[in-house]
Amino acid sequence: MSYTLEQLSADCHAAMVEDNGPAGREKIRGFVSKACLDDDFIATYLGPDNQEERKILYQDPDFGFCILAHVYIGAKASTPHDHGDYWAIYSQVEGETEMTQWKCIEKPADGNPGKVEKVKSYVMKRGDAYVYNEGDLHSPRREATTKLIRVEGRNLLGTKRDKYEVAA
């Protein structure tokens, strides 16, 4: 039986009711991974007709978290960043994403970017899902077209984020 958006959103909501902190997010991570492995779910929300880089599929009315579908055409990379006061879960549907996690060694100040050093990198493949809690610095890099499901603690569009650069 297929996993539906209605089931995914209900499961995520129930996880937040039980624990709206890191433990609940870990449960959501498992649900999102399950969705990424469901061929019918993917065909419905990330099929060939969806070419949108950012598409909100669901926004929870009580907790405010959003479930999004992302289609990145071609290579794309991001600089080290966090999600401000919010969290995010990245889950791979198609293609591969190299994710790097960073440690802040100098906070941004006076309009200057903060400095980071690399902690580790790993390649995300279909079904892989990772939680990035508030303040967790990370940067994705893709060499080719990729598709993702991402859950944001809030709709992060327009959220101010500090700038970081890799320390020399």
Side-chain angles (χ1 to χ4, degrees), residues 97-131:
T97 298
E98 179 184 8
M99 188 67 79
T100 302
Q101 292 182 318
W102 303 92
K103 174 182 162 187
C104 180
I105 57 172
E106 185 179 314
K107 294 272 187 197
D110 302 321
N112 296 313
K115 305 285 188 203
V116 297
E117 64 183 15
K118 182 178 174 178
V119 173
K120 66 179 177 178
S121 289
Y122 43 91
V123 174
M124 294 178 62
K125 298 180 180 190
R126 187 174 182 189
D128 291 344
Y130 291 86
V131 176

Side-chain angles (χ1 to χ4, degrees), residues 56-74:
I56 295 178
L57 303 176
Y58 172 81
Q59 185 163 359
D60 190 82
D62 298 322
F63 294 101
F65 69 84
C66 298
I67 300 171
L68 301 100
H70 293 281
V71 178
Y72 296 107
I73 306 297

Side-chain angles (χ1 to χ4, degrees), residues 83-102:
H83 295 285
D85 293 332
Y86 303 103
W87 53 271
I89 299 169
Y90 289 69
S91 187
Q92 196 76 26
V93 170
E94 186 176 295
E96 294 183 353
T97 298
E98 179 184 8
M99 188 67 79
T100 302
Q101 292 182 318
W102 303 92

Side-chain angles (χ1 to χ4, degrees), residues 3-15 58 60 65 67:
Y3 198 43
T4 66
L5 179 59
E6 293 75 20
Q7 290 170 313
L8 174 60
S9 57
D11 288 343
C12 292
H13 181 90
Y58 172 81
D60 190 82
F65 69 84
I67 300 171

Side-chain angles (χ1 to χ4, degrees), residues 6-28:
E6 293 75 20
Q7 290 170 313
L8 174 60
S9 57
D11 288 343
C12 292
H13 181 90
M16 294 297 283
V17 166
E18 187 176 319
D19 182 333
N20 68 358
R25 296 171 199 163
E26 184 59 28
K27 286 185 176 182
I28 291 172

